[in-house]
Amino acid sequence: MEYAHVILPLAVPHTLTYSIPEHLSDKVLSGMRVFVELGRKRYKAVVQSVSERAPAGFEIKPLLGVVDEEPMINSAQLMLWKWMANYYMCTIGEVMTAALPNGLRNEYKPRLETFVRLHPTIDTEEKLQEALQRLTRAKKQEALLIDILDIITVASAENHSWLTMEIPKRLLNHHSPAAFGACADKQIIELIRQEVSRLNPSVFTYKQMPSLSLVQKKARYALKEEFKRRNVVLLHGVTASGKTEIYIHLIAEQLRRDRQVLYLVPEIALTTQLIDRLEQIFGNNVAVYHSRYSDEERVEIYNNLRMPGAPSIIVGARSALFLPFRKLGLIIVDEEHDAGYKQSSPAPRYNARDAAIVLAAHLSIKVLLGTATPAIETYYNVQAGKYGIVQLEQRYYDVKLPRIEVLDTIRLRKKKQMHGLFSQPLITAIGEALAKEEQVILFQNRRGFSPFVQCAVCGYIPQCRQCSVSLTYHKHSNLLMCHYCGHTEPLTGVCPSCSSANVQTKGFGTEKIEEEIQLHFPAARLARLDLDTTRTKNSYKRILSDFEAGKKDILIGTQMVTKGLDFSKVNLVGILNADNLLNFPDFRSHERSFQLLTQVSGRAGRKSGEGLVMIQTAQPGNPVIQSVCGYDYPSFFEQQLIERKEFAFPPYARLIAVYFKHSNAGLLKQAVDVFKTEAGPVLCERLFGPFVPAVYRVQSKYITAFWVRTNRHDNLPDVKTFLLDAFVRLRARPGWSGLDIVADVDPQ
Ligand code: ADP
Ligand code: ZN
Ligand code: ZN
């Protein structure tokens, strides 16, 4: 008898075992999905392994049938799931739920795509010349035809049938539909809709690779050398040093070896510009994957990747790590320091950078971490000799790094040089930039209009009913909104506590900056990039491409504007308030501030070398600000390391944050006390807490936290097992099953 050990899409701690009925023997393989019953419910489960042994002492039911005829999940994926569940203290079912698109099906709808080719009547060079002649007065149509010829010439260098070559229309989508229509009417081109063979995608390499500068070539050579000795190498290059171009060369090298490359970015907004850049070089050999895609699209990409001839370059946010790669050769983790790589909720609470390193080790391939501002942990690993490093200290083409000016808001206020949110020097600089027809980026780390409103008479501040936070005012929708649970209510303008009509907005977010800057510069065209303006899948693309095309003058945004973006007409970057970054109560707040300020500064003067960054702050002497101004990562790192060591924070300790949550504050306190009594004597000085987090109530549940800090001599798996067992015992107490216990390993 054979048995299948299956993973259910539930938070059950282990795999479950089902027997394989006679007629299915030999048809069930690991990585396939099967139907099973648990309780009275039917589930699609994934077979983790098949064996002839079954656990004793249970009644074993047969599985009901197979979903797939071949494995949908490969062994490396299964390995990653298992590792993730163990390391991040969740169930493998939770990992599976995150890893597989919902509607994953094993069927192949033929994929249709529109192609463009020259009209069959154009069958000689002469006729082509004639066609070009005919278009000399229709500039847009001419541009389209020239682009088509450009692609054909490069793509078909050694192919003689180039007049009949078919080109995916989406490579030409920057041309207007009218241009396509007109050229088709004139019988110069033909549009055909046809099935794309997933087995044999046409590969277009129609633009020349950028040639690297001498400095970049040296860096690339150094990377090669480092990879001989290390599996993970950090490319530490200042902003606009041309890291992306170096990645492109490494990607091309993998493609020549017929290997795939996974290119991870921390933020969906970043995929937009990157895709344009990669498609120009690698054509339709590039796939994108992230959580904003519909489930259907994700299923399609997932299935595509399983096939021979799958795309070779996969660009994505963290969830792209879960795709079924066939022949992965390299993983690039761009902006490796970024907190966006960590999934904070729901489980698995994984860091995609760290998980990528585990996956790569399993596959015996290399990982390239790139950033201008390495995470403290990463740089520490470099110093400890675990990772290799290559540095790029100049911008591409020797463009100068921006000049950073710190504006002391307290002093300026005294001199009456603050006008609302803007200091006079910043206003002047914006005015000058606009006069030169340059673009400006303004950064503020908060969305909405104002983080809270307050009654001027009695001091009352509206709070969320379900969470212990003040409600943020969104002027656009005239709503008060909770940024923790999404609850909204109208702003009535009357204080609920004393009925006065004098309710004032306090503090400021991106919406308010937008409003104020418009008052200063009524003619300026503004765009805002934050969570509120990017709810739909294509909104990022629209906002960013409008800005890139010069249709907007000033881009106002939250951290979304800080990273990776490459605009050539931005010379001025303004940071409205560095203080709320620096004052955030967290051991990483200085690291975060350094990274954020350096990254957003890096958007300025990328081509011209005339970049200027203005940082408004009440603490101009703060050492973090000083390090940012001096572009001094090493001294910043040393300074951080001293603090981390003194207080036993990562990289000197490993941290597990444990949160207890319950709607009944009394029950929560009891549970916390029991845990402390039980775990205290075992974990000793490793257990910190309980403490009440700044936001101590979310969605009607009270929260109490502990920290478990282990040192390098501890056996981490043992600690985790102890914790998980303790959680099980707590939840098993009568009446405590509703207790929500969350463990967050390596919290960000
Ligand atoms: P980083 O990723 O280090 O911030 P980028 O790769 O975005 O820097 O490069 C900054 C700018 O310089 C981009 O506009 C890029 O196109 C340009 N650039 C960098 N290297 C080259 C190169 N070798 N040839 C042409 N342009 C380059
Ligand atoms: Zn009041
Ligand atoms: Zn709330």
Side-chain angles (χ1 to χ4, degrees):
M1 191 71 164
E2 285 195 320
Y3 298 93
H5 310 285
V6 308
I7 306 161
L8 281 143
L10 300 172
V12 290
H14 302 286
T15 53
L16 299 183
T17 301
Y18 291 83
S19 61
I20 301 176
E22 201 61 34
H23 70 283
L24 287 177
S25 76
D26 295 343
K27 293 214 175 80
V28 178
L29 301 173
S30 97
M32 275 184 185
R33 289 168 312 156
V34 291
F35 289 113
V36 298
E37 203 176 62
L38 182 71
R40 291 257 166 66
K41 279 177 103 175
R42 212 174 127 105
Y43 293 96
K44 267 187 211 163
V46 168
V47 179
Q48 189 184 53
S49 59
V50 175
S51 74
E52 301 200 339
R53 268 170 301 133
F58 293 96
E59 187 213 336
I60 295 192
K61 291 196 212 156
L63 56 83
L64 304 176
V66 292
V67 183
D68 307 316
E69 270 144 32
E70 55 186 307
M72 295 290 278
I73 296 103
N74 64 39
S75 63
Q77 290 174 282
L78 286 172
M79 181 290 308
L80 184 67
W81 294 7
K82 211 163 154 182
W83 173 82
M84 214 176 247
N86 280 333
Y87 186 84
Y88 291 106
M89 299 174 72
C90 62
T91 70
I92 196 163
E94 286 170 314
V95 180
M96 176 169 89
T97 306
L100 293 184
N102 264 327
L104 189 60
R105 276 174 313 263
N106 193 20
E107 59 192 64
Y108 290 100
K109 279 190 245 149
R111 189 158 66 99
L112 295 178
E113 189 172 338
T114 306
F115 287 79
V116 183
R117 67 178 176 210
L118 294 177
H119 195 271
T121 51
I122 300 186
D123 52 4
T124 60
E125 285 262 9
E126 291 70 48
K127 292 202 182 141
L128 183 61
Q129 287 308 324
E130 254 172 61
L132 272 169
Q133 287 294 323
R134 272 197 281 154
L135 295 184
T136 41
R137 252 172 291 147
K139 285 293 161 216
K140 287 188 176 158
Q141 298 164 40
E142 186 187 30
L144 170 62
L145 184 57
I146 286 176
D147 250 11
I148 293 175
L149 295 178
D150 189 31
I151 295 176
I152 292 180
T153 347
V154 181
S156 61
E158 54 285 29
N159 182 341
H160 298 295
S161 59
W162 61 281
L163 284 170
T164 57
M165 175 169 268
E166 290 155 2
I167 305 161
K169 176 164 173 282
R170 60 195 169 77
L171 296 180
L172 296 159
N173 270 352
H174 43 287
H175 293 281
S176 69
F180 284 100
C183 285
D185 287 346
K186 292 181 184 162
Q187 300 211 323
I188 291 172
I189 63 168
E190 231 182 13
L191 294 172
I192 41 173
R193 206 161 157 72
Q194 64 185 20
E195 197 176 306
V196 199
S197 163
R198 290 171 199 273
L199 305 180
N200 192 12
S202 39
V203 177
F204 284 88
T205 316
Y206 80 95
K207 283 269 163 74
Q208 296 285 325
M209 296 271 288
S211 48
L212 297 181
S213 68
L214 185 63
V215 177
Q216 287 171 321
K217 279 185 189 154
K218 279 189 187 159
R220 198 191 148 199
Y221 180 74
L223 281 173
K224 222 174 174 144
E225 290 300 303
E226 287 289 278
F227 274 132
K228 285 184 187 157
R229 285 173 285 140
R230 305 268 192 284
N231 293 327
V232 182
V233 177
L234 170 68
L235 178 59
H236 181 198
V238 297
T239 55
S241 53
K243 295 185 286 294
T244 317
E245 309 296 330
I246 293 179
Y247 301 156
I248 287 171
H249 279 256
L250 295 174
I251 291 170
E253 191 178 313
Q254 292 297 324
L255 300 203
R256 283 198 291 274
R257 299 173 51 214
D258 195 30
R259 295 294 208 97
Q260 290 172 306
V261 177
L262 171 61
Y263 189 146
L264 290 173
V265 291
E267 174 109 46
I268 296 167
L270 285 182
T271 56
T272 306
Q273 273 198 335
L274 191 57
I275 277 305
D276 286 348
R277 240 159 123 176
L278 293 176
E279 277 189 346
Q280 279 182 16
I281 295 159
F282 301 109
N284 64 350
N285 207 355
V286 187
V288 192
Y289 189 86
H290 57 65
S291 57
R292 283 292 167 91
Y293 278 166
S294 71
D295 198 59
E296 219 173 36
E297 288 167 307
R298 283 194 279 164
V299 168
E300 168 160 349
I301 296 164
Y302 191 100
N303 278 333
N304 253 336
L305 280 171
R306 292 178 45 245
M307 295 291 106
S312 305
I313 306 161
I314 297 91
V315 176
R318 57 175 183 253
S319 58
L321 195 66
F322 293 117
L323 288 168
F325 304 102
R326 298 172 59 84
K327 41 177 187 178
L328 201 56
L330 173 71
I331 305 180
I332 296 169
V333 184
D334 196 19
E335 314 289 356
E336 64 84 24
H337 64 278
D338 201 285
Y341 281 122
K342 171 82 177 174
Q343 170 149 318
S344 53
S345 193
R349 296 177 171 80
Y350 65 104
N351 186 316
R353 174 198 59 205
D354 300 340
I357 291 172
V358 171
L359 177 66
H362 177 80
L363 296 171
S364 305
I365 63 170
K366 308 287 181 185
V367 180
L368 180 62
L369 306 176
T371 180
T373 52
I376 298 291
E377 282 95 333
T378 300
Y379 210 71
Y380 183 78
N381 281 333
V382 168
Q383 295 212 325
K386 277 169 88 178
Y387 300 170
I389 185 169
V390 172
Q391 315 243 20
L392 273 172
E393 280 154 7
Q394 318 167 357
R395 283 185 154 187
Y396 173 66
Y397 223 77
D398 241 348
V399 158
K400 281 202 303 277
L401 283 162
R403 189 159 57 83
I404 302 181
E405 233 173 77
V406 180
L407 302 170
D408 178 344
T409 48
I410 294 185
R411 211 173 52 94
L412 287 164
R413 184 153 285 127
K414 282 196 195 124
K415 289 167 64 186
K416 303 224 174 335
Q417 295 258 307
M418 287 299 290
H419 314 288
L421 312 176
F422 292 87
S423 61
Q424 186 55 48
L426 181 55
I427 293 175
T428 308
I430 295 172
E432 284 169 8
L434 296 179
K436 282 189 273 181
E437 295 192 2
E438 292 174 1
Q439 292 174 306
V440 178
I441 290 181
L442 296 175
F443 165 71
Q444 164 66 356
N445 207 25
R446 280 202 171 114
R447 67 190 165 103
F449 189 82
S450 62
F452 63 102
V453 298
Q454 185 168 33
C455 170
V457 177
C458 74
Y460 175 82
I461 298 173
Q463 302 262 322
C464 178
R465 265 174 243 139
Q466 309 187 72
C467 313
S468 62
V469 290
S470 56
L471 295 170
T472 299
Y473 177 51
H474 289 246
K475 192 166 187 176
H476 209 68
S477 47
N478 197 34
L479 289 172
L480 290 168
M481 184 192 285
C482 171
H483 284 187
Y484 281 77
C485 72
H487 162 83
T488 57
E489 54 189 72
L491 177 71
T492 56
V494 177
C495 172
S497 170
C498 75
S499 304
S500 114
N502 197 353
V503 177
Q504 298 175 341
T505 60
K506 297 279 177 174
F508 62 96
T510 45
E511 263 190 19
K512 186 161 183 182
I513 294 173
E514 192 179 15
E515 185 177 289
E516 275 205 15
I517 199 71
Q518 194 79 83
L519 294 177
H520 288 292
F521 301 100
R525 296 161 304 168
L526 311 181
R528 178 155 60 85
L529 189 73
D530 57 29
L531 204 62
D532 297 314
T533 61
T534 55
R535 300 240 176 237
T536 59
K537 179 182 145 203
N538 286 319
S539 41
Y540 290 104
K541 207 180 163 87
R542 210 187 45 246
I543 296 170
L544 292 174
S545 54
D546 277 2
F547 190 63
E548 190 161 15
K551 292 182 195 162
K552 303 284 175 181
D553 305 307
I554 303 179
L555 179 66
I556 300 143
T558 54
Q559 32 77 22
M560 285 182 192
V561 298
T562 62
K563 20 185 140 161
L565 301 170
D566 185 35
F567 299 111
S568 52
K569 278 174 65 188
V570 174
N571 284 331
L572 177 65
V573 166
I575 294 154
L576 273 289
N577 174 356
D579 302 316
N580 57 26
L581 292 174
L582 295 166
N583 300 343
F584 201 77
D586 181 276
F587 76 95
R588 282 191 216 273
S589 69
H590 283 183
E591 179 183 3
R592 281 278 153 65
S593 310
F594 179 87
Q595 289 163 346
L596 226 91
L597 295 173
T598 306
Q599 291 289 345
V600 71
S601 304
R603 302 314 113 207
R606 290 169 74 84
K607 284 282 158 69
S608 67
E610 302 289 307
L612 172 63
V613 179
M614 295 186 140
I615 304 180
Q616 298 190 158
T617 174
Q619 324 166 37
N622 187 301
V624 176
I625 304 248
Q626 294 304 319
S627 309
V628 171
C629 293
Y631 293 102
D632 193 354
Y633 182 82
S635 87
F636 170 74
F637 176 76
E638 292 305 330
Q639 163 198 321
Q640 277 300 298
L641 222 48
I642 292 167
E643 281 175 32
R644 300 282 180 95
K645 189 163 193 171
E646 184 173 344
F647 299 104
F649 277 119
Y652 293 99
R654 287 197 175 259
L655 218 54
I656 302 171
V658 178
Y659 301 99
F660 286 73
K661 306 180 187 179
H662 203 282
S663 52
N664 178 332
L667 193 153
L668 181 69
K669 170 136 190 4
Q670 271 186 325
V672 162
D673 288 346
V674 172
F675 176 72
K676 173 96 184 170
T677 315
E678 220 187 272
V682 179
L683 297 173
C684 309
E685 78 286 354
R686 293 170 192 80
L687 186 68
F688 286 76
F691 49 88
V692 176
V695 180
Y696 59 86
R697 187 164 167 259
V698 171
Q699 291 191 302
S700 300
K701 285 187 176 173
Y702 292 91
I703 306 171
T704 301
F706 286 93
W707 268 351
V708 179
R709 287 189 218 178
T710 60
N711 61 48
R712 86 181 66 224
H713 306 294
D714 288 327
N715 181 328
L716 205 56
D718 284 354
V719 174
K720 290 174 182 170
T721 309
F722 167 77
L723 288 173
L724 287 171
D725 288 347
F727 300 161
V728 169
R729 285 194 296 277
L730 283 173
R731 286 200 204 91
R733 295 196 170 212
W736 286 17
S737 62
L739 195 60
D740 196 356
I741 310 175
V742 168
D744 188 359
V745 180
D746 303 336
Q748 270 290 329

